[in-house]
Amino acid sequence: MSVAGDEARGGALLGARALLTPRGLRGAAVEMAWSATHMALYPWGLIDDRARQKVDRFTLTGLPPLQRGLVVGDVEAAGTPILLIHGMVDNRSIFALLSHQLRRRGFGRVIAFNYSPLSGDVRRVASRLADLVESICDETGYERIHVIGHSMGGVVARYYIQRLGGDERIHTLVTLGTPHHGTLAAHLIPHPLGRQLRPGSEVLTELAEPARGCRTRILSIWSDLDQLVMPKTSAALEHPDLAVRNVLIRYVGHMSLPVDGRVVHEISATLAQFEPDGSTSHAAVTTLTDRTGTTTRSKQPGHHIA
């Protein structure tokens, strides 16, 4: 029995256990509802509206209490640009609710990066990302920004950070349902990008290489109900040279990760608490409470919560 086979069977069992519960069934229903909504929003997401997303300055005038609190508490955290990167065969519409929720919480610069699904190479998209990050830094005056990558967007961001020197520009990377170690589902995708997401691909092998001195901190959020990442644990990033905090958010489907309230809370809390050197200001302060009243306390970067 192969290790890959064991992992696949273990991941399938994890997903089945999650689904065959009341909360798992509710999560599957949310996934189907959001997927339908996302399909309706997809044409809107093809329009590039970066100009509307730019905010040049911050004042307290007209801000609701939630936004005012973040700006007063840490104007740098409120002003640091946040760049959103979608996954394969998708566009910025996947972040429609997340971008709104981030702005509600006081983050003033939220920008989405659209790339064509016809782009045949992670490396090429990562190069485009590098150019965009430089332009954002030039426009805003910030030397470092945050990135949130959904699905393959997280792989693109990691390639930029680890292979193209992007750790000098990216303070924090948040990945949502990213197949860091590949996904068996990619074998069903007849596209060059699909091949790059398979376990053991050249791109993923490059990302597994040493990355000593990498300055970017990483928050990897994964779910036991993710139907596109197989095995599920492939979305939990393990790398000896990276400052990673893995957070398991239970009963959330792949497409609905960006709209789950617990995910939004975890992202907001993380991006609101940081030091310029890349560390978190207050360790172990992010608390997640699920509907059953169970509380999970996030650990220091590099620890894995399961």
Side-chain angles (χ1 to χ4, degrees):
M1 186 178 294
S2 68
V3 174
D6 289 342
E7 290 181 346
R9 278 180 281 276
L13 182 60
L14 179 66
R17 286 175 175 171
L19 180 60
L20 298 177
T21 64
R23 294 185 64 197
L25 293 173
R26 183 163 55 244
V30 170
E31 175 78 353
M32 289 188 289
W34 168 241
S35 295
T37 303
H38 176 46
M39 289 300 295
L41 293 173
Y42 192 91
W44 166 80
L46 296 172
I47 303 171
D48 185 2
D49 72 341
R50 273 195 62 205
R52 272 200 319 117
Q53 300 178 47
K54 290 191 291 186
V55 178
D56 295 322
R57 63 189 180 90
F58 291 89
T59 69
L60 299 181
T61 305
L63 290 181
L66 192 61
Q67 292 175 302
R68 185 185 295 260
L70 179 60
V71 175
V72 170
D74 193 335
V75 68
E76 182 178 4
T80 299
I82 301 173
L83 181 60
L84 311 175
I85 309 175
H86 62 77
M88 184 168 56
V89 196
D90 209 338
N91 61 39
R92 67 184 181 86
S93 62
I94 190 68
F95 297 117
L97 294 182
L98 176 59
S99 58
H100 172 71
Q101 290 297 322
L102 290 174
R103 291 190 182 97
R104 277 192 67 243
R105 284 161 172 76
F107 298 100
R109 295 185 173 104
V110 184
I111 303 165
F113 171 43
N114 263 6
Y115 62 88
S116 170
L118 299 179
S119 301
D121 189 82
V122 167
R123 304 175 184 88
R124 188 177 303 123
V125 180
S127 180
R128 284 191 55 206
L129 172 61
D131 293 338
L132 177 59
V133 170
E134 289 301 319
S135 70
I136 292 173
C137 291
D138 288 343
E139 291 171 4
T140 63
Y142 278 77
E143 293 184 356
R144 305 185 76 190
I145 72 171
H146 303 309
V147 169
I148 301 174
H150 178 243
S151 195
M152 194 191 81
V155 175
V156 170
R158 278 188 61 203
Y159 198 91
Y160 166 54
I161 290 166
Q162 294 179 231
R163 308 298 294 179
L164 303 179
D167 64 312
E168 294 184 2
R169 290 298 194 195
I170 307 304
H171 179 287
T172 302
L173 167 64
V174 179
T175 64
L176 308 177
T178 292
H180 291 292
H181 306 289
T183 173
L184 297 176
H187 287 281
L188 303 176
I189 303 174
H191 189 281
L193 285 175
R195 289 194 291 272
Q196 292 184 333
L197 297 182
R198 296 173 185 174
S201 72
E202 290 185 7
V203 165
L204 296 182
T205 298
E206 285 186 62
L207 294 180
E209 293 176 1
R212 298 182 184 89
C214 181
R215 299 173 60 195
T216 300
R217 65 172 184 170
I218 300 176
L219 169 65
S220 178
I221 297 178
W222 63 287
S223 172
D224 55 358
L225 205 62
D226 192 322
Q227 70 276 24
L228 295 184
V229 179
M230 298 184 290
K232 315 299 182 188
T233 52
S234 182
L237 176 56
E238 303 292 342
H239 193 296
D241 296 328
L242 300 178
V244 182
R245 184 161 61 90
N246 289 296
V247 176
L248 168 62
I249 305 291
R250 303 196 67 189
Y251 313 115
V252 188
H254 185 80
M255 299 301 291
S256 49
L257 274 166
V259 303
D260 185 86
R262 295 165 297 171
V263 173
V264 176
H265 169 78
E266 187 69 36
I267 293 172
S268 300
T270 297
L271 299 187
Q273 304 159 8
F274 67 87
E275 298 292 352
D277 65 357
S279 61
T280 302
S281 298
H282 308 288
V285 299
T286 304
T287 300
L288 294 177
T289 303
D290 62 24
R291 294 184 181 89
T292 65
T294 302
T295 298
T296 300
R297 184 169 296 280
S298 301
K299 299 182 181 179
Q300 293 277 3
H303 289 247
H304 179 206
I305 299 174

